[in-house]
Amino acid sequence: LEAAGVQTMAGLASHKGRIPRLADPTLDRLRTQATLQTDRPRLGPHHVLRPPAAGKGFDLLWHPDPGDLFYDIEGDPFYSEAGAEGLEYLHGVWDGQTFSAVWAHTHAAERDALVRLLEMFDTRLKAFPGAHIYHYAPYEITALRKLCTRYGIGEALLDRWLRERRFCDLYAVVRGAVTVSETSYSIKDMEALYGFRR
């Protein structure tokens, strides 16, 4: 971009024509992103839909099921206890009506929280065979794998759910479905688009 004389985001938004060694679809995607971000001060938070693509965006969503769960995990990478680093201290689960918080303040409690969480998921998925667990970004799956391995609990169960595609990453849905005026696609930045108030 710089070699082609594009030095700023506004410059990219207004740039016409091709850029050597940059594929046209990539340039179009970058130009759209730059245009939305450049227009944000004037238009406020806004978005455009991306063209539908098989296996991307909204195509990754499942049909809603009354048993669907929405899951988030919070961790502290700086926590240290007896030489072990990091602590996944909160599992949050929303079932559409009730929010459940599973807390852990020590590694022993972290293990117990994992057991409770896996039991919660297992009970729900057995009761609702068409249900899925929605999360935002890959951290939840990475953390669950780490916890299952660390404590030797639920590895086969988690592997089965992954094979059955029971988890749905809403970050991948958003990234593949829309281009937004925000500087990041983090869940906190996405709040500007749907009027969420903290």
Side-chain angles (χ1 to χ4, degrees), residues 53 55-62 134 165 167-169 172-174 176:
K56 294 186 177 182
F58 295 128
D59 200 34
L60 297 173
L61 285 175
W62 299 95
Y134 293 84
R165 299 176 56 208
F167 292 92
C168 181
D169 183 352
V173 173
V174 170

Side-chain angles (χ1 to χ4, degrees), residues 5 13 15 17 24 41 45 59 69 91 96 100 104-105 107 118 122 128 135 137 162 169 178 181 198:
H15 181 79
D24 288 342
D59 200 34
L69 296 174
H91 300 273
S100 299
H105 299 292
H107 283 139
L118 295 176
D122 196 39
F128 296 92
H135 59 97
L162 291 169
D169 183 352
V178 296
S181 57
R198 285 192 175 273

